[in-house]
Amino acid sequence: MDVEGSVGTMTLDGEIARLSALANPHRFRIIALLAEESLHVSELARRLGMSRALLYMHLQRLESAGYVTGHLELSDDGKALKFFEVVSFEVTTNVARIVAAVAADTESTH
């Protein structure tokens, strides 16, 4: 399923994971910072006042849901830095999407 909102190959678990990935104030703050600029993990952790381990957990949820993407870059001194940036998205849901997700889940379990 794409993040833009077409029904496509929706699954119940996928739809719930996509929506629940945003349901956290830390993840809202991460998206807000990354909307301004691409940042490497250490800088993002500093700005959020969060440990890198906890930040990675939040970034993994956001990346799995398609809201952010990460890539490695080499610094001038040869260190690999993981940078993240926001992927343009729009979150929509409605009765038809919920019905389709439940129907797809019901079909796959029978």
Side-chain angles (χ1 to χ4, degrees):
M1 177 187 71
D2 73 11
V3 180
E4 291 292 326
S6 67
V7 174
T9 57
M10 180 186 312
T11 66
L12 181 60
D13 288 342
E15 186 71 357
I16 290 169
R18 187 180 73 84
L19 294 171
S20 69
L22 290 176
N24 183 287
H26 295 300
R27 293 186 203 127
F28 265 54
R29 289 183 188 98
I30 290 167
I31 289 171
L33 282 172
L34 293 177
E36 296 173 9
E37 62 183 313
S38 175
L39 293 168
H40 64 85
V41 172
S42 294
E43 178 62 24
L44 189 54
R46 271 192 294 277
R47 291 189 189 184
L48 292 167
M50 180 182 297
S51 74
R52 287 181 2 164
L54 181 58
L55 177 59
Y56 266 117
M57 186 271 307
H58 288 298
L59 287 168
Q60 183 179 17
R61 289 281 305 270
L62 290 169
E63 191 170 30
S64 293
Y67 298 121
V68 303
T69 187
H71 62 277
L72 290 175
E73 291 184 18
L74 287 178
S75 67
D76 292 338
D77 62 359
K79 290 182 185 176
L81 300 173
K82 181 103 183 220
F83 279 80
F84 282 88
E85 59 190 334
V86 169
V87 175
S88 180
F89 66 89
E90 181 176 314
V91 178
T92 59
T93 196
N94 56 34
V95 173
R97 288 182 64 83
I98 293 169
V99 169
V102 171
D105 186 63
T106 302
E107 291 171 11
S108 70
T109 59
H110 289 115

